[in-house]
Amino acid sequence: MSNTATEQHSTQRLLSPDEVERARGMIGQLLNGLGTAILGQQELLELVTICLLARGHMLLEGLPGLGKTELVKSLSALLGLGFRRVQFTPDLLPSDILGTSVYDTKTGEFNYLKGPIFANIVLADEINRTTPRTQSALLEAMSEEQI
């Protein structure tokens, strides 16, 4: 382990047993809430929760109508987080997901209009249908955690 990694690890605070128990209860409530929205998919719900706790990204694949969008919407609702869905199409531009500056003729200034990627949870549907440039913009924002 590098010195930087060792220093970061040593500065992290361990959770007390009470904090661990509280977190366990909150995770149980989240899984129960997701279980009422998505029936019969307990393993998937657990994997989604693990991904969320690990601050990761997830790829959900499946046939239409299996509840992928409902799962993500339920997750964001249960956590009180902002949710946006982006339907990727061949004509979608990077600015359509990242946002763009728009000139306001009244004030004579440029205002930045945020794109859907500024939500806490973003469902990117049919990523494979868009151009590599737009895919790259999404993946860059995901990997760098900034726009």
mmCIF file of all heavy atoms in Angstrom, residues 79-119:
data_model
loop_
_atom_site.group_PDB
_atom_site.id
_atom_site.type_symbol
_atom_site.label_atom_id
_atom_site.label_comp_id
_atom_site.label_asym_id
_atom_site.label_seq_id
_atom_site.Cartn_x
_atom_site.Cartn_y
_atom_site.Cartn_z
ATOM 1 N N LEU A 79 -34.710 7.408 -1.041
ATOM 2 C CA LEU A 79 -33.577 8.130 -0.472
ATOM 3 C C LEU A 79 -33.749 9.645 -0.534
ATOM 4 O O LEU A 79 -32.904 10.383 -0.038
ATOM 5 C CB LEU A 79 -32.290 7.724 -1.200
ATOM 6 C CG LEU A 79 -31.890 6.261 -1.035
ATOM 7 C CD1 LEU A 79 -30.719 5.924 -1.947
ATOM 8 C CD2 LEU A 79 -31.570 5.952 0.413
ATOM 9 N N GLY A 80 -34.836 10.108 -1.154
ATOM 10 C CA GLY A 80 -35.084 11.539 -1.273
ATOM 11 C C GLY A 80 -34.071 12.231 -2.175
ATOM 12 O O GLY A 80 -33.687 13.368 -1.922
ATOM 13 N N LEU A 81 -33.652 11.537 -3.217
ATOM 14 C CA LEU A 81 -32.649 12.078 -4.131
ATOM 15 C C LEU A 81 -33.277 12.470 -5.458
ATOM 16 O O LEU A 81 -34.295 11.905 -5.862
ATOM 17 C CB LEU A 81 -31.551 11.033 -4.391
ATOM 18 C CG LEU A 81 -30.767 10.571 -3.166
ATOM 19 C CD1 LEU A 81 -29.824 9.440 -3.535
ATOM 20 C CD2 LEU A 81 -30.005 11.726 -2.554
ATOM 21 N N GLY A 82 -32.641 13.409 -6.152
ATOM 22 C CA GLY A 82 -33.111 13.829 -7.458
ATOM 23 C C GLY A 82 -32.860 12.739 -8.495
ATOM 24 O O GLY A 82 -31.812 12.109 -8.498
ATOM 25 N N PHE A 83 -33.832 12.516 -9.358
ATOM 26 C CA PHE A 83 -33.745 11.473 -10.387
ATOM 27 C C PHE A 83 -34.012 12.078 -11.752
ATOM 28 O O PHE A 83 -34.924 12.885 -11.915
ATOM 29 C CB PHE A 83 -34.781 10.374 -10.104
ATOM 30 C CG PHE A 83 -34.984 9.421 -11.250
ATOM 31 C CD1 PHE A 83 -34.061 8.432 -11.519
ATOM 32 C CD2 PHE A 83 -36.104 9.522 -12.058
ATOM 33 C CE1 PHE A 83 -34.246 7.558 -12.577
ATOM 34 C CE2 PHE A 83 -36.305 8.652 -13.117
ATOM 35 C CZ PHE A 83 -35.372 7.667 -13.375
ATOM 36 N N ARG A 84 -33.218 11.691 -12.733
ATOM 37 C CA ARG A 84 -33.437 12.086 -14.118
ATOM 38 C C ARG A 84 -33.194 10.872 -15.005
ATOM 39 O O ARG A 84 -32.316 10.059 -14.730
ATOM 40 C CB ARG A 84 -32.481 13.206 -14.539
ATOM 41 C CG ARG A 84 -32.655 14.512 -13.780
ATOM 42 C CD ARG A 84 -33.956 15.251 -14.049
ATOM 43 N NE ARG A 84 -34.116 15.663 -15.422
ATOM 44 C CZ ARG A 84 -33.756 16.834 -15.926
ATOM 45 N NH1 ARG A 84 -33.209 17.740 -15.138
ATOM 46 N NH2 ARG A 84 -33.945 17.105 -17.182
ATOM 47 N N ARG A 85 -33.959 10.793 -16.077
ATOM 48 C CA ARG A 85 -33.802 9.721 -17.058
ATOM 49 C C ARG A 85 -33.441 10.361 -18.388
ATOM 50 O O ARG A 85 -34.045 11.338 -18.801
ATOM 51 C CB ARG A 85 -35.112 8.949 -17.206
ATOM 52 C CG ARG A 85 -35.052 7.811 -18.193
ATOM 53 C CD ARG A 85 -36.422 7.120 -18.259
ATOM 54 N NE ARG A 85 -36.422 6.057 -19.199
ATOM 55 C CZ ARG A 85 -36.652 6.201 -20.508
ATOM 56 N NH1 ARG A 85 -36.894 7.398 -21.006
ATOM 57 N NH2 ARG A 85 -36.636 5.168 -21.308
ATOM 58 N N VAL A 86 -32.428 9.794 -19.055
ATOM 59 C CA VAL A 86 -32.003 10.288 -20.356
ATOM 60 C C VAL A 86 -32.175 9.157 -21.361
ATOM 61 O O VAL A 86 -31.613 8.068 -21.172
ATOM 62 C CB VAL A 86 -30.532 10.745 -20.347
ATOM 63 C CG1 VAL A 86 -30.131 11.281 -21.712
ATOM 64 C CG2 VAL A 86 -30.289 11.783 -19.274
ATOM 65 N N GLN A 87 -32.960 9.408 -22.394
ATOM 66 C CA GLN A 87 -33.127 8.433 -23.469
ATOM 67 C C GLN A 87 -32.072 8.748 -24.531
ATOM 68 O O GLN A 87 -32.145 9.784 -25.183
ATOM 69 C CB GLN A 87 -34.530 8.535 -24.068
ATOM 70 C CG GLN A 87 -34.783 7.556 -25.187
ATOM 71 C CD GLN A 87 -34.807 6.119 -24.704
ATOM 72 O OE1 GLN A 87 -35.406 5.811 -23.675
ATOM 73 N NE2 GLN A 87 -34.159 5.231 -25.426
ATOM 74 N N PHE A 88 -31.097 7.900 -24.665
ATOM 75 C CA PHE A 88 -30.025 8.136 -25.617
ATOM 76 C C PHE A 88 -30.489 7.776 -27.024
ATOM 77 O O PHE A 88 -31.050 6.711 -27.244
ATOM 78 C CB PHE A 88 -28.776 7.338 -25.226
ATOM 79 C CG PHE A 88 -28.007 7.988 -24.118
ATOM 80 C CD1 PHE A 88 -28.465 7.925 -22.814
ATOM 81 C CD2 PHE A 88 -26.848 8.679 -24.376
ATOM 82 C CE1 PHE A 88 -27.767 8.540 -21.793
ATOM 83 C CE2 PHE A 88 -26.138 9.301 -23.358
ATOM 84 C CZ PHE A 88 -26.601 9.228 -22.071
ATOM 85 N N THR A 89 -30.257 8.687 -27.953
ATOM 86 C CA THR A 89 -30.637 8.528 -29.354
ATOM 87 C C THR A 89 -29.444 8.908 -30.233
ATOM 88 O O THR A 89 -28.506 9.553 -29.754
ATOM 89 C CB THR A 89 -31.834 9.435 -29.707
ATOM 90 O OG1 THR A 89 -31.459 10.799 -29.441
ATOM 91 C CG2 THR A 89 -33.069 9.075 -28.888
ATOM 92 N N PRO A 90 -29.475 8.541 -31.508
ATOM 93 C CA PRO A 90 -28.347 8.864 -32.388
ATOM 94 C C PRO A 90 -28.080 10.366 -32.533
ATOM 95 O O PRO A 90 -26.947 10.762 -32.809
ATOM 96 C CB PRO A 90 -28.756 8.262 -33.735
ATOM 97 C CG PRO A 90 -29.712 7.173 -33.383
ATOM 98 C CD PRO A 90 -30.437 7.655 -32.169
ATOM 99 N N ASP A 91 -29.086 11.199 -32.338
ATOM 100 C CA ASP A 91 -28.899 12.639 -32.516
ATOM 101 C C ASP A 91 -28.626 13.392 -31.216
ATOM 102 O O ASP A 91 -28.522 14.613 -31.210
ATOM 103 C CB ASP A 91 -30.106 13.251 -33.224
ATOM 104 C CG ASP A 91 -31.399 13.094 -32.440
ATOM 105 O OD1 ASP A 91 -31.447 12.254 -31.525
ATOM 106 O OD2 ASP A 91 -32.368 13.806 -32.758
ATOM 107 N N LEU A 92 -28.473 12.690 -30.101
ATOM 108 C CA LEU A 92 -28.209 13.336 -28.812
ATOM 109 C C LEU A 92 -26.777 13.881 -28.789
ATOM 110 O O LEU A 92 -25.846 13.200 -29.201
ATOM 111 C CB LEU A 92 -28.411 12.329 -27.681
ATOM 112 C CG LEU A 92 -28.537 12.896 -26.281
ATOM 113 C CD1 LEU A 92 -29.888 13.583 -26.109
ATOM 114 C CD2 LEU A 92 -28.405 11.781 -25.257
ATOM 115 N N LEU A 93 -26.626 15.097 -28.323
ATOM 116 C CA LEU A 93 -25.315 15.748 -28.250
ATOM 117 C C LEU A 93 -24.815 15.765 -26.801
ATOM 118 O O LEU A 93 -25.613 15.711 -25.855
ATOM 119 C CB LEU A 93 -25.412 17.184 -28.761
ATOM 120 C CG LEU A 93 -25.853 17.354 -30.211
ATOM 121 C CD1 LEU A 93 -26.072 18.836 -30.517
ATOM 122 C CD2 LEU A 93 -24.819 16.753 -31.140
ATOM 123 N N PRO A 94 -23.500 15.877 -26.606
ATOM 124 C CA PRO A 94 -22.978 15.965 -25.234
ATOM 125 C C PRO A 94 -23.640 17.089 -24.431
ATOM 126 O O PRO A 94 -23.919 16.931 -23.241
ATOM 127 C CB PRO A 94 -21.482 16.225 -25.441
ATOM 128 C CG PRO A 94 -21.177 15.578 -26.745
ATOM 129 C CD PRO A 94 -22.409 15.808 -27.584
ATOM 130 N N SER A 95 -23.902 18.222 -25.064
ATOM 131 C CA SER A 95 -24.526 19.341 -24.346
ATOM 132 C C SER A 95 -25.949 19.011 -23.901
ATOM 133 O O SER A 95 -26.458 19.615 -22.955
ATOM 134 C CB SER A 95 -24.532 20.594 -25.216
ATOM 135 O OG SER A 95 -25.267 20.374 -26.404
ATOM 136 N N ASP A 96 -26.597 18.042 -24.550
ATOM 137 C CA ASP A 96 -27.940 17.644 -24.148
ATOM 138 C C ASP A 96 -27.944 16.949 -22.789
ATOM 139 O O ASP A 96 -28.956 16.957 -22.087
ATOM 140 C CB ASP A 96 -28.570 16.713 -25.187
ATOM 141 C CG ASP A 96 -28.831 17.402 -26.508
ATOM 142 O OD1 ASP A 96 -29.077 18.631 -26.512
ATOM 143 O OD2 ASP A 96 -28.782 16.718 -27.551
ATOM 144 N N ILE A 97 -26.835 16.342 -22.413
ATOM 145 C CA ILE A 97 -26.782 15.687 -21.106
ATOM 146 C C ILE A 97 -25.987 16.495 -20.083
ATOM 147 O O ILE A 97 -26.269 16.448 -18.897
ATOM 148 C CB ILE A 97 -26.225 14.250 -21.194
ATOM 149 C CG1 ILE A 97 -24.825 14.228 -21.786
ATOM 150 C CG2 ILE A 97 -27.159 13.353 -21.958
ATOM 151 C CD1 ILE A 97 -24.149 12.877 -21.697
ATOM 152 N N LEU A 98 -24.990 17.255 -20.562
ATOM 153 C CA LEU A 98 -24.153 18.035 -19.638
ATOM 154 C C LEU A 98 -24.711 19.417 -19.346
ATOM 155 O O LEU A 98 -24.498 19.964 -18.271
ATOM 156 C CB LEU A 98 -22.742 18.188 -20.208
ATOM 157 C CG LEU A 98 -21.987 16.896 -20.497
ATOM 158 C CD1 LEU A 98 -20.652 17.208 -21.155
ATOM 159 C CD2 LEU A 98 -21.811 16.077 -19.247
ATOM 160 N N GLY A 99 -25.409 19.989 -20.310
ATOM 161 C CA GLY A 99 -25.920 21.345 -20.179
ATOM 162 C C GLY A 99 -25.187 22.264 -21.125
ATOM 163 O O GLY A 99 -24.218 21.876 -21.790
ATOM 164 N N THR A 100 -25.634 23.505 -21.176
ATOM 165 C CA THR A 100 -25.047 24.470 -22.096
ATOM 166 C C THR A 100 -25.269 25.893 -21.597
ATOM 167 O O THR A 100 -26.159 26.143 -20.790
ATOM 168 C CB THR A 100 -25.660 24.290 -23.513
ATOM 169 O OG1 THR A 100 -24.959 25.100 -24.430
ATOM 170 C CG2 THR A 100 -27.126 24.639 -23.533
ATOM 171 N N SER A 101 -24.455 26.806 -22.101
ATOM 172 C CA SER A 101 -24.625 28.219 -21.784
ATOM 173 C C SER A 101 -25.601 28.830 -22.783
ATOM 174 O O SER A 101 -25.491 28.606 -23.983
ATOM 175 C CB SER A 101 -23.289 28.959 -21.868
ATOM 176 O OG SER A 101 -22.448 28.533 -20.837
ATOM 177 N N VAL A 102 -26.537 29.604 -22.268
ATOM 178 C CA VAL A 102 -27.549 30.247 -23.103
ATOM 179 C C VAL A 102 -27.480 31.745 -22.860
ATOM 180 O O VAL A 102 -27.417 32.200 -21.715
ATOM 181 C CB VAL A 102 -28.960 29.708 -22.759
ATOM 182 C CG1 VAL A 102 -30.018 30.419 -23.569
ATOM 183 C CG2 VAL A 102 -29.029 28.214 -22.975
ATOM 184 N N TYR A 103 -27.501 32.496 -23.950
ATOM 185 C CA TYR A 103 -27.430 33.956 -23.848
ATOM 186 C C TYR A 103 -28.800 34.522 -23.505
ATOM 187 O O TYR A 103 -29.799 34.232 -24.147
ATOM 188 C CB TYR A 103 -26.938 34.549 -25.174
ATOM 189 C CG TYR A 103 -26.747 36.035 -25.122
ATOM 190 C CD1 TYR A 103 -25.690 36.592 -24.417
ATOM 191 C CD2 TYR A 103 -27.631 36.884 -25.768
ATOM 192 C CE1 TYR A 103 -25.506 37.957 -24.361
ATOM 193 C CE2 TYR A 103 -27.454 38.257 -25.725
ATOM 194 C CZ TYR A 103 -26.398 38.786 -25.016
ATOM 195 O OH TYR A 103 -26.226 40.138 -24.957
ATOM 196 N N ASP A 104 -28.854 35.327 -22.457
ATOM 197 C CA ASP A 104 -30.086 35.988 -22.035
ATOM 198 C C ASP A 104 -30.065 37.407 -22.598
ATOM 199 O O ASP A 104 -29.255 38.240 -22.181
ATOM 200 C CB ASP A 104 -30.174 36.008 -20.507
ATOM 201 C CG ASP A 104 -31.481 36.574 -19.994
ATOM 202 O OD1 ASP A 104 -32.254 37.160 -20.786
ATOM 203 O OD2 ASP A 104 -31.734 36.418 -18.786
ATOM 204 N N THR A 105 -30.969 37.683 -23.545
ATOM 205 C CA THR A 105 -30.983 38.997 -24.202
ATOM 206 C C THR A 105 -31.388 40.119 -23.251
ATOM 207 O O THR A 105 -30.992 41.269 -23.451
ATOM 208 C CB THR A 105 -31.925 38.980 -25.421
ATOM 209 O OG1 THR A 105 -33.223 38.577 -25.001
ATOM 210 C CG2 THR A 105 -31.417 38.036 -26.486
ATOM 211 N N LYS A 106 -32.163 39.800 -22.232
ATOM 212 C CA LYS A 106 -32.608 40.830 -21.278
ATOM 213 C C LYS A 106 -31.463 41.328 -20.403
ATOM 214 O O LYS A 106 -31.352 42.509 -20.133
ATOM 215 C CB LYS A 106 -33.742 40.295 -20.415
ATOM 216 C CG LYS A 106 -35.012 40.036 -21.188
ATOM 217 C CD LYS A 106 -36.099 39.491 -20.292
ATOM 218 C CE LYS A 106 -37.336 39.169 -21.122
ATOM 219 N NZ LYS A 106 -38.388 38.583 -20.319
ATOM 220 N N THR A 107 -30.634 40.408 -19.934
ATOM 221 C CA THR A 107 -29.544 40.789 -19.033
ATOM 222 C C THR A 107 -28.221 40.962 -19.762
ATOM 223 O O THR A 107 -27.289 41.548 -19.210
ATOM 224 C CB THR A 107 -29.357 39.733 -17.926
ATOM 225 O OG1 THR A 107 -28.963 38.496 -18.536
ATOM 226 C CG2 THR A 107 -30.621 39.548 -17.113
ATOM 227 N N GLY A 108 -28.130 40.410 -20.981
ATOM 228 C CA GLY A 108 -26.882 40.487 -21.728
ATOM 229 C C GLY A 108 -25.809 39.563 -21.181
ATOM 230 O O GLY A 108 -24.630 39.763 -21.421
ATOM 231 N N GLU A 109 -26.228 38.531 -20.443
ATOM 232 C CA GLU A 109 -25.280 37.598 -19.842
ATOM 233 C C GLU A 109 -25.583 36.176 -20.305
ATOM 234 O O GLU A 109 -26.695 35.870 -20.725
ATOM 235 C CB GLU A 109 -25.378 37.650 -18.314
ATOM 236 C CG GLU A 109 -24.997 38.980 -17.721
ATOM 237 C CD GLU A 109 -25.182 39.004 -16.208
ATOM 238 O OE1 GLU A 109 -25.783 38.054 -15.656
ATOM 239 O OE2 GLU A 109 -24.733 39.964 -15.588
ATOM 240 N N PHE A 110 -24.577 35.330 -20.170
ATOM 241 C CA PHE A 110 -24.768 33.914 -20.431
ATOM 242 C C PHE A 110 -25.161 33.227 -19.131
ATOM 243 O O PHE A 110 -24.558 33.476 -18.086
ATOM 244 C CB PHE A 110 -23.484 33.279 -20.991
ATOM 245 C CG PHE A 110 -23.252 33.586 -22.437
ATOM 246 C CD1 PHE A 110 -22.470 34.662 -22.815
ATOM 247 C CD2 PHE A 110 -23.818 32.789 -23.416
ATOM 248 C CE1 PHE A 110 -22.249 34.946 -24.148
ATOM 249 C CE2 PHE A 110 -23.607 33.057 -24.754
ATOM 250 C CZ PHE A 110 -22.822 34.133 -25.123
ATOM 251 N N ASN A 111 -26.159 32.380 -19.208
ATOM 252 C CA ASN A 111 -26.596 31.581 -18.061
ATOM 253 C C ASN A 111 -26.386 30.115 -18.400
ATOM 254 O O ASN A 111 -26.689 29.687 -19.514
ATOM 255 C CB ASN A 111 -28.071 31.823 -17.743
ATOM 256 C CG ASN A 111 -28.329 33.242 -17.297
ATOM 257 O OD1 ASN A 111 -27.551 33.818 -16.546
ATOM 258 N ND2 ASN A 111 -29.416 33.822 -17.774
ATOM 259 N N TYR A 112 -25.883 29.369 -17.448
ATOM 260 C CA TYR A 112 -25.657 27.944 -17.668
ATOM 261 C C TYR A 112 -26.924 27.175 -17.304
ATOM 262 O O TYR A 112 -27.418 27.265 -16.180
ATOM 263 C CB TYR A 112 -24.473 27.449 -16.837
ATOM 264 C CG TYR A 112 -24.103 26.026 -17.167
ATOM 265 C CD1 TYR A 112 -23.443 25.721 -18.346
ATOM 266 C CD2 TYR A 112 -24.433 24.993 -16.302
ATOM 267 C CE1 TYR A 112 -23.105 24.422 -18.659
ATOM 268 C CE2 TYR A 112 -24.103 23.689 -16.606
ATOM 269 C CZ TYR A 112 -23.439 23.408 -17.788
ATOM 270 O OH TYR A 112 -23.122 22.122 -18.104
ATOM 271 N N LEU A 113 -27.449 26.434 -18.253
ATOM 272 C CA LEU A 113 -28.597 25.568 -18.015
ATOM 273 C C LEU A 113 -28.078 24.158 -17.802
ATOM 274 O O LEU A 113 -27.516 23.550 -18.718
ATOM 275 C CB LEU A 113 -29.572 25.608 -19.194
ATOM 276 C CG LEU A 113 -30.215 26.956 -19.483
ATOM 277 C CD1 LEU A 113 -31.128 26.858 -20.703
ATOM 278 C CD2 LEU A 113 -31.009 27.426 -18.278
ATOM 279 N N LYS A 114 -28.247 23.650 -16.606
ATOM 280 C CA LYS A 114 -27.724 22.326 -16.269
ATOM 281 C C LYS A 114 -28.480 21.238 -17.012
ATOM 282 O O LYS A 114 -29.697 21.292 -17.151
ATOM 283 C CB LYS A 114 -27.836 22.087 -14.765
ATOM 284 C CG LYS A 114 -26.959 22.987 -13.941
ATOM 285 C CD LYS A 114 -27.127 22.706 -12.466
ATOM 286 C CE LYS A 114 -26.235 23.608 -11.646
ATOM 287 N NZ LYS A 114 -26.404 23.338 -10.204
ATOM 288 N N GLY A 115 -27.739 20.237 -17.431
ATOM 289 C CA GLY A 115 -28.328 19.084 -18.093
ATOM 290 C C GLY A 115 -28.787 18.057 -17.074
ATOM 291 O O GLY A 115 -28.582 18.215 -15.860
ATOM 292 N N PRO A 116 -29.385 16.978 -17.522
ATOM 293 C CA PRO A 116 -29.922 15.962 -16.613
ATOM 294 C C PRO A 116 -28.863 15.239 -15.789
ATOM 295 O O PRO A 116 -29.182 14.643 -14.760
ATOM 296 C CB PRO A 116 -30.643 14.991 -17.541
ATOM 297 C CG PRO A 116 -30.073 15.227 -18.886
ATOM 298 C CD PRO A 116 -29.646 16.659 -18.915
ATOM 299 N N ILE A 117 -27.615 15.320 -16.185
ATOM 300 C CA ILE A 117 -26.554 14.635 -15.448
ATOM 301 C C ILE A 117 -26.321 15.247 -14.064
ATOM 302 O O ILE A 117 -25.668 14.656 -13.217
ATOM 303 C CB ILE A 117 -25.249 14.598 -16.256
ATOM 304 C CG1 ILE A 117 -24.284 13.578 -15.660
ATOM 305 C CG2 ILE A 117 -24.592 15.936 -16.298
ATOM 306 C CD1 ILE A 117 -23.762 12.610 -16.603
ATOM 307 N N PHE A 118 -26.885 16.407 -13.813
ATOM 308 C CA PHE A 118 -26.725 17.059 -12.516
ATOM 309 C C PHE A 118 -27.645 16.479 -11.436
ATOM 310 O O PHE A 118 -27.637 16.950 -10.318
ATOM 311 C CB PHE A 118 -26.948 18.572 -12.642
ATOM 312 C CG PHE A 118 -25.774 19.296 -13.214
ATOM 313 C CD1 PHE A 118 -25.648 19.476 -14.578
ATOM 314 C CD2 PHE A 118 -24.776 19.784 -12.393
ATOM 315 C CE1 PHE A 118 -24.560 20.137 -15.120
ATOM 316 C CE2 PHE A 118 -23.670 20.447 -12.921
ATOM 317 C CZ PHE A 118 -23.573 20.619 -14.281
ATOM 318 N N ALA A 119 -28.418 15.463 -11.753
ATOM 319 C CA ALA A 119 -29.270 14.810 -10.760
ATOM 320 C C ALA A 119 -28.426 13.869 -9.903
ATOM 321 O O ALA A 119 -27.320 13.479 -10.280
ATOM 322 C CB ALA A 119 -30.383 14.027 -11.455
#
